[in-house]
Amino acid sequence: MAKIQKQTTAKAIQKREIDVLFDKYAESHQNPTNKLIHWICVPLIVFSLLALVWAIPFPHLEFLGKYNGFVNSASFLIAFAIYYYYKLSPVMSYFMLIAVFIMSFFIVMLEKWEQSGGPAMWVSALVIFVLSWVGQFYGHKVEGKKPSFLDDVKFLLIGPIWLLHFICKKIGLRY
């Protein structure tokens, strides 16, 4: 009987992979200034990366029929990321998918701006990408700790959902 209680207690104490990743990510994100910079720069990095990949020419595929133009190079990046998030937490994948839909709207707005004489979408995205990374590294300089992704590249994917998990906590939603 005591052995069964120990096993049950061990399972209750064992953290989910997503919580372990959040804890590790949080180690280098304690400074309020760095956190604020992350709330601004991480979404901008995700947005600009999607826009940069979106701008890669995608071939016209006959089998897509009327859906040509709805599938582009970014579709594969989105599918990979959402699948990874789903494996960690279905709730986080749904929130991230909503965020991607919102970002996609603004990427289409960048495309329309380009078509009406504005700068090339990839140029706008590249400027946002570079400035956001400058902000990120400044935040880590203030923090006094190196970015988590320098230890493990998967933390590039954890940053966006780390922010979303705070929203889930705030609204009382178990992720």
Side-chain angles (χ1 to χ4, degrees):
M1 184 68 150
K3 186 176 184 179
I4 293 172
Q5 283 180 323
K6 283 184 182 179
Q7 288 175 342
T8 305
T9 305
K11 284 184 181 179
I13 294 172
Q14 186 179 12
K15 285 187 170 186
R16 297 176 302 159
E17 181 182 3
I18 193 167
D19 292 316
V20 171
L21 290 167
F22 286 161
D23 289 348
K24 180 72 175 157
Y25 192 83
E27 289 174 10
S28 60
H29 300 87
Q30 298 297 310
N31 181 284
T33 301
N34 189 26
K35 284 182 178 180
L36 176 61
I37 289 170
H38 274 62
W39 275 100
I40 297 165
C41 292
V42 168
L44 287 173
I45 288 169
V46 173
F47 170 78
S48 60
L49 180 62
L50 282 176
L52 285 167
V53 176
W54 191 298
I56 297 170
F58 192 78
H60 180 86
L61 302 173
E62 288 300 321
F63 74 88
L64 289 175
K66 66 180 183 179
Y67 297 105
N68 267 298
F70 290 100
V71 176
N72 60 42
S73 301
S75 302
F76 301 99
L77 176 62
I78 293 166
F80 168 78
I82 297 302
Y83 175 75
Y84 177 72
Y85 294 141
Y86 186 82
K87 296 298 278 182
L88 290 174
S89 163
V91 171
M92 283 295 152
S93 73
Y94 304 146
F95 270 106
M96 198 61 201
L97 195 55
I98 291 167
V100 167
F101 284 146
I102 294 167
M103 290 177 190
S104 296
F105 170 81
F106 287 103
I107 291 170
V108 170
M109 292 297 102
L110 281 179
E111 283 180 320
K112 288 181 179 183
W113 186 28
E114 175 183 354
Q115 291 166 357
S116 68
M121 181 179 71
W122 71 268
V123 172
S124 301
L126 186 61
V127 168
I128 294 167
F129 187 80
V130 169
L131 291 176
S132 297
W133 274 110
V134 167
Q136 286 287 89
F137 281 105
Y138 173 75
H140 280 285
K141 182 178 181 189
V142 169
E143 179 84 41
K145 294 182 182 170
K146 65 182 178 176
S148 303
F149 76 88
L150 294 177
D151 290 330
D152 190 339
V153 73
K154 74 178 152 200
F155 283 107
L156 288 171
L157 286 168
I158 299 303
I161 63 171
W162 181 72
L163 295 173
L164 289 175
H165 102 280
F166 288 112
I167 295 171
C168 287
K169 284 184 172 185
K170 183 84 169 169
I171 63 174
L173 183 63
R174 180 164 155 61
Y175 57 87

